[in-house]
Amino acid sequence: VIQDGPDNPANPLHTSLVATINAARKTIHIMTPYFLPSREIASALTIAALRGVAVHIVLPAKCNLPFMHWASRNYMQRLLEGGVRIFYQPPPFCHTKLLIVDDCYTQFGSANLDPRSLQLNFELNIEVLDADFAAQLMHHIVATIKNSHEVSREEIVNRSIPIRIRDAFFWL
């Protein structure tokens, strides 16, 4: 169990996420409703993809907080160019927070991949090192990806100037 909050300057949840992503050898699957990764997490994901790890991020196509959706698109180009694959799952809105690495490590709980969750909120995540448990959850992610829209680099690059400005504004 990883407990974290603004009263813990060690940031154990953020540290464990970065360390886990850096340790990945084959696959990283992330499912989260809100994706505004820190620079460290974004860099770790990109570096993992560049060293041959299959990195898949599943986000809701229609977020319950539109400004979170807009903000997350501001950073996607860098991830996509680094080889990270991003998928929008169709409605209904899914609030799952799940990380599976190398088909054996799973982390899930209350934390989103955004600054509020990882710096300001009190959160609790659970780590499980068990291939059978990870395989059960992988079935869910694989089924979701099959029904999802993969975000292309062109889709992000070809956003109009007003949309890019809006997305960048909400990123701030």
Side-chain angles (χ1 to χ4, degrees), residues 97-109:
K97 296 124 177 175
L98 176 61
L99 167 69
I100 302 173
V101 175
D102 292 341
D103 299 323
C104 65
Y105 171 90
T106 305
Q107 188 179 126
F108 59 94

Side-chain angles (χ1 to χ4, degrees), residues 126-153:
I126 297 172
E127 296 178 294
V128 178
L129 185 60
D130 182 272
D132 292 335
F133 183 74
Q136 291 176 31
L137 292 172
M138 275 303 300
H139 287 297
H140 171 63
I141 289 182
V142 169
T144 301
I145 287 174
K146 283 182 184 175
N147 294 318
S148 297
H149 163 73
E150 185 166 3
V151 180
S152 69
R153 180 185 173 281

